[in-house]
């Protein structure tokens, strides 16, 4: 079993989760044509060199355009996929070991998926879906006590104990997501990974779910890794923000700093693209070019083909995350932009 020291922060608390040089590559073996023409198999490096940590009772939002690798990071962190490179450690123990060996720490890391319509078994009453992790992970085996736990969980997420006897199709989208959150809470986890849990919901329902999640965090002291592309959601729930572009983190820091003083050109592009009701002539310029092919990313900085600040160095070298202005930024022009 692999162990690594957890990072210690200024307040003396160790991190709950450490993601170190995480990478995930997808691709098929060479086909016949590629072998004859001696062409390499097409591979997509969905995630490359991802590093971050998650502290107790903290919400870290991972944001970026669709296809940037956010959900891949979430699945690797949850132990649902095996990283091609790097490691994910929960309190010093590899998540791969935790998932493979069904260690007790498995109950401490749970996940809420994006689609409330497909994340619940349509053939099971929701009470059974919530009870399953309680029983499988050995938290409680007495049927009567399990029923009490399920009823309490439904109440905590704003539903009724009588809802345990209903099937998923009898609920609205927001109610289904509440059931999914109750299922994640059933093991009393320390970390919940949320993969765009509100993107399929109406705006008014999104607000209800987000407020409920904040209240549950205050009550139970959980940490959230919150995956989203909606900066409005990020501004509402996050303590820190990590911005991803084409499989890499390009900026990470406190939410207020990221929103009020974005330093990476891509972060600025995302924030300037958020619609507002302010009608004026001062309109942000559109992003340059198109999103590159993930299977054939540009040399050097991946964002250079769309960046108005790019120069020859950006094409030749890959910028690494460096501490600057109370955050980490992967950009050679960070001082010029600041």
């Amino acid at each position: 079993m692999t162990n690594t020291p957890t990072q210690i922060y200024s307040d003396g608390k160790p991190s709950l989760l450490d993601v170190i040089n995480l990478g995930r590559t997808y691709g098929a073996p060479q086909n016949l044509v590629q072998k004859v023409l001696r062409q390499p198999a097409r591979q997509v490096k969905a995630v490359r060199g991802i590093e971050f940590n998650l502290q107790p009772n903290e919400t870290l939002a991972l944001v970026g355009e669709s296809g940037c690798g956010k959900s891949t990071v979430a699945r690797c962190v949850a132990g649902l996929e095996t990283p091609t490179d790097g490691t994910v450690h929960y309190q010093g123990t590899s998540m791969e070991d935790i998932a493979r060996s069904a260690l007790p720490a498995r109950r401490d890391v749970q996940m809420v998926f994006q689609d409330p319509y497909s994340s619940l078994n349509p053939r099971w009453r929701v009470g059974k879906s919530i009870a399953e992790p309680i029983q499988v992970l050995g938290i409680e085996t007495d049927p009567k006590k399990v029923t009490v736990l399920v009823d309490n969980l439904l109440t905590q997420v704003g539903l009724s104990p009588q809802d345990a006897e209903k099937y998923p199709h009898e609920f609205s989208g927001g109610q289904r997501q509440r059931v999914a959150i109750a299922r994640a809470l059933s093991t009393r986890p320390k970390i919940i990974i949320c993969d765009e849990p509100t993107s399929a919901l109406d705006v008014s329902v999104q607000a209800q779910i987000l407020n409920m999640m904040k209240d549950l965090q205050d009550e139970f002291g959980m940490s959230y890794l919150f995956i989203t592309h909606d900066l409005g959601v990020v501004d509402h729930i996050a303590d820190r923000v990590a911005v991803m572009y084409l499989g890499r983190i390009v900026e990470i820091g406190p939410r207020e700093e990221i929103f009020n003083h974005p330093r990476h050109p891509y972060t600025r592009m995302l924030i300037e693209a958020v619609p507002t009701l302010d009608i004026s002539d001062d309109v942000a310029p559109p992003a340059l070019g198109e999103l590159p092919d993930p299977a054939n990313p540009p040399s050097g900085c991946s964002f250079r083909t769309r960046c108005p600040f790019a120069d020859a160095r950006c094409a030749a070298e890959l910028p690494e995350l460096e501490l600057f202005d109370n955050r980490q930024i992967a950009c050679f022009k960070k001082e010029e932009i600041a």
Side-chain angles (χ1 to χ4, degrees), residues 6 23 35 51 76 96 101 114 136 149 194 207 212 219 230 236 240 265 283 295 333 336:
T6 55
K35 289 180 180 179
E51 295 199 350
C76 288
E96 188 176 349
S101 306
Q114 176 178 1
V136 170
L149 289 175
C194 307
M212 181 193 70
E219 182 177 354
D230 188 334
H236 184 74
R240 285 191 301 144
V283 179
K333 301 290 185 176
E336 178 181 333

PDB file of all heavy atoms in Angstrom, residues 6 23 35 51 76 96 101 114 136 149 194 207 212 219 230 236 240 265 283 295 333 336:
ATOM      1  N   THR A   6       0.693  13.959   4.017  1.00  0.00           N
ATOM      2  CA  THR A   6      -0.258  14.985   3.620  1.00  0.00           C
ATOM      3  C   THR A   6       0.371  16.356   3.811  1.00  0.00           C
ATOM      4  O   THR A   6       1.248  16.539   4.643  1.00  0.00           O
ATOM      5  CB  THR A   6      -1.540  14.889   4.468  1.00  0.00           C
ATOM      6  OG1 THR A   6      -1.183  14.952   5.843  1.00  0.00           O
ATOM      7  CG2 THR A   6      -2.277  13.607   4.189  1.00  0.00           C
ATOM      8  N   GLY A  23      -2.703  12.366 -14.202  1.00  0.00           N
ATOM      9  CA  GLY A  23      -2.861  12.315 -15.656  1.00  0.00           C
ATOM     10  C   GLY A  23      -3.749  11.157 -16.056  1.00  0.00           C
ATOM     11  O   GLY A  23      -3.767  10.107 -15.416  1.00  0.00           O
ATOM     12  N   LYS A  35      -1.025   0.828 -38.627  1.00  0.00           N
ATOM     13  CA  LYS A  35       0.152  -0.040 -38.617  1.00  0.00           C
ATOM     14  C   LYS A  35       0.846  -0.039 -39.969  1.00  0.00           C
ATOM     15  O   LYS A  35       2.071   0.034 -40.056  1.00  0.00           O
ATOM     16  CB  LYS A  35      -0.265  -1.457 -38.229  1.00  0.00           C
ATOM     17  CG  LYS A  35      -0.665  -1.613 -36.770  1.00  0.00           C
ATOM     18  CD  LYS A  35      -1.057  -3.048 -36.455  1.00  0.00           C
ATOM     19  CE  LYS A  35      -1.444  -3.204 -35.003  1.00  0.00           C
ATOM     20  NZ  LYS A  35      -1.845  -4.603 -34.686  1.00  0.00           N
ATOM     21  N   GLU A  51      -2.585  19.079 -10.123  1.00  0.00           N
ATOM     22  CA  GLU A  51      -2.189  19.049  -8.712  1.00  0.00           C
ATOM     23  C   GLU A  51      -3.041  20.035  -7.926  1.00  0.00           C
ATOM     24  O   GLU A  51      -3.150  21.199  -8.302  1.00  0.00           O
ATOM     25  CB  GLU A  51      -0.704  19.371  -8.540  1.00  0.00           C
ATOM     26  CG  GLU A  51       0.220  18.330  -9.149  1.00  0.00           C
ATOM     27  CD  GLU A  51       1.638  18.412  -8.582  1.00  0.00           C
ATOM     28  OE1 GLU A  51       1.930  19.399  -7.874  1.00  0.00           O
ATOM     29  OE2 GLU A  51       2.439  17.498  -8.850  1.00  0.00           O
ATOM     30  N   CYS A  76     -11.405  10.142 -11.360  1.00  0.00           N
ATOM     31  CA  CYS A  76     -10.122   9.641 -10.855  1.00  0.00           C
ATOM     32  C   CYS A  76     -10.003   9.879  -9.351  1.00  0.00           C
ATOM     33  O   CYS A  76      -9.534   9.012  -8.607  1.00  0.00           O
ATOM     34  CB  CYS A  76      -8.966  10.313 -11.591  1.00  0.00           C
ATOM     35  SG  CYS A  76      -8.737   9.789 -13.305  1.00  0.00           S
ATOM     36  N   GLU A  96      -6.666   4.651  -5.037  1.00  0.00           N
ATOM     37  CA  GLU A  96      -6.697   3.400  -5.800  1.00  0.00           C
ATOM     38  C   GLU A  96      -6.717   2.202  -4.852  1.00  0.00           C
ATOM     39  O   GLU A  96      -7.451   1.236  -5.062  1.00  0.00           O
ATOM     40  CB  GLU A  96      -5.487   3.338  -6.733  1.00  0.00           C
ATOM     41  CG  GLU A  96      -5.518   2.173  -7.703  1.00  0.00           C
ATOM     42  CD  GLU A  96      -4.341   2.205  -8.672  1.00  0.00           C
ATOM     43  OE1 GLU A  96      -3.638   3.221  -8.719  1.00  0.00           O
ATOM     44  OE2 GLU A  96      -4.142   1.191  -9.370  1.00  0.00           O
ATOM     45  N   SER A 101      -9.403  -2.245  -2.449  1.00  0.00           N
ATOM     46  CA  SER A 101      -9.447  -3.121  -1.276  1.00  0.00           C
ATOM     47  C   SER A 101     -10.663  -2.881  -0.392  1.00  0.00           C
ATOM     48  O   SER A 101     -10.790  -3.506   0.655  1.00  0.00           O
ATOM     49  CB  SER A 101      -8.170  -2.928  -0.443  1.00  0.00           C
ATOM     50  OG  SER A 101      -7.016  -3.117  -1.236  1.00  0.00           O
ATOM     51  N   GLN A 114     -23.953  14.122 -12.228  1.00  0.00           N
ATOM     52  CA  GLN A 114     -24.576  15.241 -12.918  1.00  0.00           C
ATOM     53  C   GLN A 114     -26.054  15.026 -13.200  1.00  0.00           C
ATOM     54  O   GLN A 114     -26.864  15.924 -12.993  1.00  0.00           O
ATOM     55  CB  GLN A 114     -23.828  15.505 -14.231  1.00  0.00           C
ATOM     56  CG  GLN A 114     -24.438  16.602 -15.090  1.00  0.00           C
ATOM     57  CD  GLN A 114     -23.632  16.846 -16.348  1.00  0.00           C
ATOM     58  OE1 GLN A 114     -22.627  16.187 -16.592  1.00  0.00           O
ATOM     59  NE2 GLN A 114     -24.068  17.778 -17.159  1.00  0.00           N
ATOM     60  N   VAL A 136     -23.940  -2.044   2.683  1.00  0.00           N
ATOM     61  CA  VAL A 136     -22.775  -2.623   2.004  1.00  0.00           C
ATOM     62  C   VAL A 136     -21.474  -2.245   2.714  1.00  0.00           C
ATOM     63  O   VAL A 136     -20.554  -3.062   2.835  1.00  0.00           O
ATOM     64  CB  VAL A 136     -22.735  -2.171   0.534  1.00  0.00           C
ATOM     65  CG1 VAL A 136     -21.406  -2.547  -0.120  1.00  0.00           C
ATOM     66  CG2 VAL A 136     -23.892  -2.798  -0.240  1.00  0.00           C
ATOM     67  N   LEU A 149     -32.340   5.538   9.800  1.00  0.00           N
ATOM     68  CA  LEU A 149     -31.300   6.359   9.171  1.00  0.00           C
ATOM     69  C   LEU A 149     -31.779   6.921   7.841  1.00  0.00           C
ATOM     70  O   LEU A 149     -31.551   8.094   7.527  1.00  0.00           O
ATOM     71  CB  LEU A 149     -30.028   5.527   8.968  1.00  0.00           C
ATOM     72  CG  LEU A 149     -29.229   5.164  10.225  1.00  0.00           C
ATOM     73  CD1 LEU A 149     -28.077   4.230   9.864  1.00  0.00           C
ATOM     74  CD2 LEU A 149     -28.692   6.419  10.900  1.00  0.00           C
ATOM     75  N   CYS A 194     -18.845  16.506  -6.350  1.00  0.00           N
ATOM     76  CA  CYS A 194     -20.077  16.896  -7.030  1.00  0.00           C
ATOM     77  C   CYS A 194     -19.757  17.198  -8.491  1.00  0.00           C
ATOM     78  O   CYS A 194     -19.124  18.221  -8.783  1.00  0.00           O
ATOM     79  CB  CYS A 194     -20.690  18.118  -6.360  1.00  0.00           C
ATOM     80  SG  CYS A 194     -20.942  17.933  -4.581  1.00  0.00           S
ATOM     81  N   ALA A 207     -30.738  27.002  -7.083  1.00  0.00           N
ATOM     82  CA  ALA A 207     -30.510  27.800  -5.874  1.00  0.00           C
ATOM     83  C   ALA A 207     -30.914  27.029  -4.621  1.00  0.00           C
ATOM     84  O   ALA A 207     -30.210  27.065  -3.602  1.00  0.00           O
ATOM     85  CB  ALA A 207     -31.284  29.116  -5.970  1.00  0.00           C
ATOM     86  N   MET A 212     -29.101  24.220   0.153  1.00  0.00           N
ATOM     87  CA  MET A 212     -29.185  23.032   0.986  1.00  0.00           C
ATOM     88  C   MET A 212     -27.796  22.424   1.207  1.00  0.00           C
ATOM     89  O   MET A 212     -27.446  22.022   2.324  1.00  0.00           O
ATOM     90  CB  MET A 212     -30.103  21.998   0.330  1.00  0.00           C
ATOM     91  CG  MET A 212     -30.280  20.728   1.154  1.00  0.00           C
ATOM     92  SD  MET A 212     -31.038  19.401   0.193  1.00  0.00           S
ATOM     93  CE  MET A 212     -29.702  18.992  -0.945  1.00  0.00           C
ATOM     94  N   GLU A 219     -23.512  21.917   8.819  1.00  0.00           N
ATOM     95  CA  GLU A 219     -23.967  20.987   9.864  1.00  0.00           C
ATOM     96  C   GLU A 219     -22.994  19.844  10.090  1.00  0.00           C
ATOM     97  O   GLU A 219     -22.724  19.465  11.241  1.00  0.00           O
ATOM     98  CB  GLU A 219     -25.341  20.429   9.489  1.00  0.00           C
ATOM     99  CG  GLU A 219     -25.934  19.490  10.528  1.00  0.00           C
ATOM    100  CD  GLU A 219     -27.323  19.011  10.163  1.00  0.00           C
ATOM    101  OE1 GLU A 219     -27.887  19.495   9.151  1.00  0.00           O
ATOM    102  OE2 GLU A 219     -27.864  18.142  10.889  1.00  0.00           O
ATOM    103  N   ASP A 230     -20.387  26.661 -14.551  1.00  0.00           N
ATOM    104  CA  ASP A 230     -21.235  27.810 -14.259  1.00  0.00           C
ATOM    105  C   ASP A 230     -20.557  28.685 -13.196  1.00  0.00           C
ATOM    106  O   ASP A 230     -20.508  28.326 -12.019  1.00  0.00           O
ATOM    107  CB  ASP A 230     -22.599  27.322 -13.765  1.00  0.00           C
ATOM    108  CG  ASP A 230     -23.613  28.454 -13.618  1.00  0.00           C
ATOM    109  OD1 ASP A 230     -23.188  29.605 -13.416  1.00  0.00           O
ATOM    110  OD2 ASP A 230     -24.824  28.179 -13.703  1.00  0.00           O
ATOM    111  N   HIS A 236     -21.245  31.397  -5.697  1.00  0.00           N
ATOM    112  CA  HIS A 236     -22.177  31.176  -4.592  1.00  0.00           C
ATOM    113  C   HIS A 236     -21.640  30.193  -3.564  1.00  0.00           C
ATOM    114  O   HIS A 236     -21.896  30.352  -2.367  1.00  0.00           O
ATOM    115  CB  HIS A 236     -23.505  30.651  -5.146  1.00  0.00           C
ATOM    116  CG  HIS A 236     -24.568  30.466  -4.116  1.00  0.00           C
ATOM    117  ND1 HIS A 236     -25.239  31.516  -3.541  1.00  0.00           N
ATOM    118  CD2 HIS A 236     -25.069  29.340  -3.543  1.00  0.00           C
ATOM    119  CE1 HIS A 236     -26.114  31.047  -2.652  1.00  0.00           C
ATOM    120  NE2 HIS A 236     -26.033  29.735  -2.644  1.00  0.00           N
ATOM    121  N   ARG A 240     -12.350  28.186  -2.754  1.00  0.00           N
ATOM    122  CA  ARG A 240     -11.245  28.341  -3.700  1.00  0.00           C
ATOM    123  C   ARG A 240     -11.702  27.882  -5.080  1.00  0.00           C
ATOM    124  O   ARG A 240     -12.648  27.099  -5.203  1.00  0.00           O
ATOM    125  CB  ARG A 240     -10.024  27.513  -3.285  1.00  0.00           C
ATOM    126  CG  ARG A 240      -9.227  28.095  -2.121  1.00  0.00           C
ATOM    127  CD  ARG A 240      -7.898  27.364  -1.958  1.00  0.00           C
ATOM    128  NE  ARG A 240      -8.099  25.946  -1.713  1.00  0.00           N
ATOM    129  CZ  ARG A 240      -7.297  24.977  -2.195  1.00  0.00           C
ATOM    130  NH1 ARG A 240      -6.295  25.270  -2.979  1.00  0.00           N
ATOM    131  NH2 ARG A 240      -7.550  23.712  -1.893  1.00  0.00           N
ATOM    132  N   PRO A 265      -5.017  34.783 -18.701  1.00  0.00           N
ATOM    133  CA  PRO A 265      -5.883  35.237 -19.795  1.00  0.00           C
ATOM    134  C   PRO A 265      -7.132  34.385 -19.975  1.00  0.00           C
ATOM    135  O   PRO A 265      -8.199  34.912 -20.328  1.00  0.00           O
ATOM    136  CB  PRO A 265      -4.971  35.155 -21.025  1.00  0.00           C
ATOM    137  CG  PRO A 265      -3.592  35.219 -20.492  1.00  0.00           C
ATOM    138  CD  PRO A 265      -3.626  34.577 -19.141  1.00  0.00           C
ATOM    139  N   VAL A 283     -17.804  46.154 -24.338  1.00  0.00           N
ATOM    140  CA  VAL A 283     -18.050  44.719 -24.460  1.00  0.00           C
ATOM    141  C   VAL A 283     -16.721  43.985 -24.564  1.00  0.00           C
ATOM    142  O   VAL A 283     -15.832  44.402 -25.310  1.00  0.00           O
ATOM    143  CB  VAL A 283     -18.914  44.414 -25.702  1.00  0.00           C
ATOM    144  CG1 VAL A 283     -19.147  42.924 -25.827  1.00  0.00           C
ATOM    145  CG2 VAL A 283     -20.235  45.155 -25.600  1.00  0.00           C
ATOM    146  N   ALA A 295      -6.501  15.771 -28.824  1.00  0.00           N
ATOM    147  CA  ALA A 295      -5.572  14.715 -29.248  1.00  0.00           C
ATOM    148  C   ALA A 295      -4.310  15.295 -29.874  1.00  0.00           C
ATOM    149  O   ALA A 295      -3.321  14.583 -30.037  1.00  0.00           O
ATOM    150  CB  ALA A 295      -6.256  13.781 -30.242  1.00  0.00           C
ATOM    151  N   LYS A 333       3.165  35.488 -18.724  1.00  0.00           N
ATOM    152  CA  LYS A 333       2.818  36.905 -18.805  1.00  0.00           C
ATOM    153  C   LYS A 333       2.060  37.395 -17.562  1.00  0.00           C
ATOM    154  O   LYS A 333       1.451  38.451 -17.596  1.00  0.00           O
ATOM    155  CB  LYS A 333       1.953  37.155 -20.044  1.00  0.00           C
ATOM    156  CG  LYS A 333       2.616  36.773 -21.367  1.00  0.00           C
ATOM    157  CD  LYS A 333       3.749  37.732 -21.690  1.00  0.00           C
ATOM    158  CE  LYS A 333       4.329  37.447 -23.064  1.00  0.00           C
ATOM    159  NZ  LYS A 333       5.362  38.441 -23.433  1.00  0.00           N
ATOM    160  N   GLU A 336       2.918  40.906 -16.376  1.00  0.00           N
ATOM    161  CA  GLU A 336       2.471  41.903 -17.344  1.00  0.00           C
ATOM    162  C   GLU A 336       0.963  42.091 -17.255  1.00  0.00           C
ATOM    163  O   GLU A 336       0.444  43.220 -17.299  1.00  0.00           O
ATOM    164  CB  GLU A 336       2.865  41.462 -18.757  1.00  0.00           C
ATOM    165  CG  GLU A 336       2.407  42.389 -19.857  1.00  0.00           C
ATOM    166  CD  GLU A 336       2.805  41.868 -21.225  1.00  0.00           C
ATOM    167  OE1 GLU A 336       3.812  41.145 -21.309  1.00  0.00           O
ATOM    168  OE2 GLU A 336       2.092  42.184 -22.200  1.00  0.00           O
TER     169      GLU A 336
END
